[in-house]
């Protein structure tokens, strides 16, 4: 499929790892120029130098920042404008999940989780919407199936993620017809968060294949495995492209069939 990303500019938050990095790579391959951000400067710059080598120095812009710092996000937007002149696609991907039950989630945890989930959308949206409107562009948010299908061991993150879907739906109406706003709902994708949980597994003798296999079985994933970051990235690239020009306010599940709703 021709996604028509040639001559377009995309911004990917959390672009140094996992789903974000796979998205950066697919967008670059499809012809876009890409600006990416993440907090850890060393890892981000290592990733950026490989991307520049593979796709060209002038097609990649990387800045170390937290999406929770509005001034830094606004400076990043100004730099994207100065460097690339426009922004056609914003992929709001930065973040991570929180494992906690109601009993072990403190008030501070609730506030931190709501801040991360909502403001990781709000700050980049405020900064990039003017350029997106000018370009008749698109937003794709990376969210979790937990937004629709909560789990008691992730009570706080699931609740905040439901709020994000609600925000995105309203936004899709407010910024239409200039900007399309869509999201993907991830089940379990084999990336940074799961790599960290695998490293901290109870039984350190368990192999990677065994641990991931057990995880997929225990979750009852119909496709029998976790997703690859590239599989999430393909859905993001579709929703952000002109191939999805009549799709807005939608959510696409990328969960190997884990969803129970119709
Ligand atoms: P990774 O840990 O592999 O990647 C997360 C990326 O976000 C990294 O680049 C990280 O870099 C960056 N990041 C985190 N916090 C911030 C911040 N405050 N500001 C800027 N960058 C930030 O995770 P995944 O690829 O798995 O996750 C991507 C998204 O998908 C996340 O929002 C996650 O919650 C969501 N998701 C993932 C699921 C999965 O199974 N993998 C399931 C459901 C949702 P750094 O730490 O250097 O800032």
């Amino acid at each position: 499929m021709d996604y028509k990303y040639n001559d377009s500019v995309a911004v990917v938050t959390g672009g140094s790892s996992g789903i974000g990095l796979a998205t950066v790579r697919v967008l670059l391959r499809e012809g876009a120029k890409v600006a990416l951000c993440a907090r850890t400067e060393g890892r981000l710059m290592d990733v950026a130098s490989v991307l520049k080598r593979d796709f060209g120095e002038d097609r990649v812009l990387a800045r170390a920042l937290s999406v929770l710092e509005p001034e830094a996000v606004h400076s990043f937007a100004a730099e994207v404008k100065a460097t690339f002149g426009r922004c056609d696609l914003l992929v709001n991907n930065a973040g991570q999940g929180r494992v906690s039950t109601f009993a072990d989630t403190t008030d501070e945890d609730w506030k931190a989780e709501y801040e991360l989930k909502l403001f990781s959308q709000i700050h980049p949206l405020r900064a990039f919407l003017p350029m997106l409107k000018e370009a008749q562009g698109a937003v794709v948010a990376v969210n979790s199936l937990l937004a629709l299908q909560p789990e008691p061991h992730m009570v706080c993150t699931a609740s905040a993620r439901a709020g994000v879907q609600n925000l995105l739906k309203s936004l899709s109406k407010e910024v239409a017809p200039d900007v399309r706003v869509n999201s993907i709902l991830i089940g379990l994708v084999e990336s940074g968060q799961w790599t960290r949980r695998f490293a901290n597994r109870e039984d350190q003798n368990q192999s990677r294949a065994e641990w991931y296999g057990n995880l997929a079985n225990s979750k009852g994933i119909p496709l029998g495995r976790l997703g690859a970051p590239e599989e999430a990235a393909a859905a993001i690239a579709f929703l952000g492209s002109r191939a999805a020009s009549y799709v807005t306010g939608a959510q696409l599940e990328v969960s190997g069939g884990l969803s129970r709703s119709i």
Side-chain angles (χ1 to χ4, degrees), residues 16-248:
S16 65
S17 165
I19 296 166
L21 177 55
T23 304
V24 169
R25 293 195 80 92
V26 75
L27 294 171
L28 284 165
R29 234 181 10 252
E30 294 295 326
K33 292 175 182 159
V34 179
L36 61 152
C37 68
R39 293 164 303 177
T40 315
E41 184 153 27
R43 178 169 68 168
L44 179 69
M45 291 311 155
D46 288 350
V47 161
S49 68
V50 173
L51 293 171
K52 286 177 181 176
R53 184 200 65 202
D54 292 352
F55 297 100
E57 186 84 22
D58 58 341
R59 291 182 58 205
V60 177
L61 173 69
R63 279 298 158 263
L65 59 92
S66 170
V67 289
L68 300 184
E69 289 168 12
E71 293 81 16
V73 177
H74 279 273
S75 303
F76 181 43
E79 203 178 354
V80 170
K81 175 108 181 160
T83 309
F84 295 141
R86 58 190 287 130
C87 177
D88 300 270
L89 170 62
L90 170 65
V91 180
N92 273 337
N93 162 77
Q96 59 190 50
R98 177 186 290 269
V99 179
S100 66
T101 62
F102 185 76
D104 60 27
T105 310
T106 66
D107 288 356
E108 289 316 306
D109 292 340
W110 278 100
K111 287 178 193 163
E113 188 62 10
Y114 267 74
E115 185 188 8
L116 176 61
K117 292 297 171 294
L118 287 167
F119 284 94
S120 64
Q121 302 293 327
I122 291 168
H123 293 320
L125 284 167
R126 280 204 207 288
F128 286 98
L129 269 175
M131 274 191 276
L132 289 168
K133 282 184 179 160
E134 219 173 288
Q136 302 276 297
V139 175
V140 181
V142 178
N143 202 355
S144 165
L145 192 57
L146 287 167
L148 307 183
Q149 197 163 287
E151 303 259 7
H153 72 284
M154 296 188 87
V155 64
C156 174
T157 202
S159 148
R161 287 177 184 286
V164 168
Q165 287 312 103
N166 198 295
L167 155 69
L168 295 171
K169 192 69 170 179
S170 297
L171 184 74
S172 71
K173 313 242 182 249
E174 186 173 328
V175 299
D178 298 323
V179 181
R180 294 182 303 106
V181 180
N182 294 296
S183 60
I184 62 164
L185 299 180
I186 300 290
L188 282 76
V189 166
E190 202 175 324
S191 55
Q193 347 193 354
W194 290 108
T195 308
R196 288 190 290 276
R197 288 180 208 173
F198 169 66
N200 295 327
R201 67 198 178 282
E202 258 174 45
D203 176 4
Q204 288 287 322
N205 291 322
Q206 221 173 18
S207 72
R208 194 181 162 80
E210 263 177 331
W211 190 83
Y212 276 106
N214 289 345
L215 181 60
N217 283 340
S218 71
K219 298 285 180 188
I221 301 174
L223 291 189
R225 61 177 177 83
L226 272 66
E230 292 72 22
E231 293 174 307
I236 295 167
F238 165 67
L239 286 173
S241 76
R242 303 246 180 264
S245 54
Y246 201 54
V247 182
T248 195

